[in-house]
């Protein structure tokens, strides 16, 4: 038989629990990790800033390649304008050389752009869920629910008869706010490493 409902494991074996009651408890447990607007805005700013820094070389290369492609277009146009002033063999050789370079650069551009993840798009996908995990979870089909559970709780959850518990939560939900030592009234977000956050945010897109 296919799986119809999200699966839970229980410490209290043999006890029966109504599915709807468990879903309400689980939804409440998910929302206990929800990220408020202020933290979400800081997270988005942090990811964008770190993404810009981390991908500087790739973005610079894209700029250089696009610049050279424009130069090649200009050289090709000039070559066509001069075709009556040069031999057919010279025209053919120079045009083929430019076309080969253009093809190679376009291939390099495709590979480089493919390696640059669209972090803004991923954050847009994730923002609704980060604000209210249970809202998205409840409205999703069963397979998506299972993916959402694995995304938020990598090690699964345990129901002890009263509440749900977990030993691990996605790093996005694990962001902490700490008081600044210098200014006790100020707070700052404590983040995992950039690589972990980047891979986690991008993995969100695979849920749907």
């Amino acid at each position: 038989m296919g799986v119809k409902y999200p699966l839970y494991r229980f410490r209290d074996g043999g006890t029966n629990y109504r599915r709807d009651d468990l879903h309400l408890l689980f939804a409440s447990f998910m929302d206990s990790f929800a990220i408020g607007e202020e933290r979400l805005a800081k997270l988005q700013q942090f990811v964008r800033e770190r993404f810009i820094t981390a991908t500087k070389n790739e973005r610079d290369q894209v700029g250089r390649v696009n610049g050279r492609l424009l130069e090649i277009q200009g050289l090709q146009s000039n070559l066509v304008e001069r075709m009556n002033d040069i031999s057919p063999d010279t025209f053919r050789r120079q045009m083929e050389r430019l076309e080969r370079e253009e093809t190679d650069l376009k291939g390099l551009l495709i590979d480089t752009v493919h390696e640059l993840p669209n972090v803004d798009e991923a954050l847009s996908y994730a923002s609704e869920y980060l604000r209210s995990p249970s809202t998205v979870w409840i409205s999703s089909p069963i397979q998506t629910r299972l993916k959402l559970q694995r995304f938020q709780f990598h090690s699964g959850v345990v129901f002890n008869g009263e509440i749900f518990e977990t030993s691990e939560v996605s790093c996005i939900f694990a962001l902490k706010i700490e008081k600044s030592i210098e200014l006790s009234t100020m707070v700052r977000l404590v983040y995992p490493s950039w690589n972990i956050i980047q891979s986690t945010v991008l993995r969100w897109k695979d849920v749907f």
Side-chain angles (χ1 to χ4, degrees):
M1 293 179 64
V3 177
K4 292 186 177 181
Y5 304 111
L7 303 178
Y8 312 106
R9 62 180 185 273
F10 308 103
R11 291 176 180 167
D12 187 10
T15 304
N16 295 320
Y17 300 94
R18 292 183 63 249
R19 178 181 65 89
D20 291 346
D21 291 340
L22 286 175
H23 280 197
L24 288 175
L25 287 172
F26 184 67
S28 178
F29 181 61
M30 297 179 82
D31 285 343
S32 68
F33 296 95
I35 297 179
E37 291 298 329
E38 182 179 358
R39 291 174 65 195
L40 183 59
K42 289 181 179 181
L43 168 64
Q44 291 171 332
Q45 179 182 357
F46 171 81
V47 171
R48 291 188 183 103
E49 289 176 352
R50 295 300 290 271
F51 173 74
I52 290 173
T53 300
T55 59
K56 182 182 186 303
N57 291 339
E58 289 82 356
R59 289 183 294 104
D60 287 348
Q61 179 168 274
V62 169
R64 289 193 298 270
V65 170
N66 281 326
R68 180 55 183 168
L69 286 173
L70 287 176
E71 291 177 358
I72 289 175
Q73 291 176 8
L75 292 172
Q76 289 172 329
S77 297
N78 292 335
L79 193 59
V80 171
E81 293 176 359
R82 296 173 47 240
M83 64 183 303
N84 293 327
D85 301 326
I86 58 178
S87 69
D89 188 53
T90 298
F91 174 82
R92 178 183 56 79
R93 288 199 310 271
Q94 293 187 6
M95 186 62 75
E96 287 178 351
R97 178 179 61 79
L98 291 173
E99 288 175 347
R100 285 196 300 271
E101 183 181 2
E102 182 181 38
T103 298
D104 292 342
L105 288 173
K106 286 182 177 179
L108 176 61
L109 186 62
I110 291 173
D111 291 340
T112 304
V113 171
H114 180 71
E115 292 173 359
L116 287 173
N118 191 330
V119 173
D120 277 335
E121 182 181 49
L123 284 173
S124 177
Y125 276 116
S127 61
E128 182 181 354
Y129 184 75
L130 297 177
R131 291 186 182 98
S132 180
S134 70
T135 300
V136 177
W137 181 77
I138 290 172
S139 63
S140 299
I142 180 59
Q143 292 303 320
T144 302
R145 288 191 184 190
L146 292 172
K147 290 180 181 179
L148 289 171
Q149 290 170 212
R150 296 186 189 106
F151 173 81
Q152 188 167 349
F153 307 113
H154 302 312
S155 301
V157 296
V158 174
F159 184 65
N160 66 9
E162 296 181 0
I163 61 172
F164 282 96
E165 299 173 328
T166 186
S167 61
E168 182 182 11
V169 67
S170 169
C171 72
I172 299 299
F173 291 96
L175 295 176
K176 298 179 294 183
I177 292 182
E178 286 192 354
K179 287 287 184 69
S180 170
I181 296 176
E182 293 80 9
L183 298 173
S184 61
T185 58
M186 301 293 290
V187 296
R188 65 185 179 89
L189 284 179
V190 179
Y191 298 97
S193 71
W194 158 248
N195 288 335
I196 292 176
I197 283 190
Q198 182 187 35
S199 62
T200 301
V201 171
L202 296 176
R203 194 169 66 245
W204 162 260
K205 294 178 64 177
D206 296 334
V207 171
F208 294 95

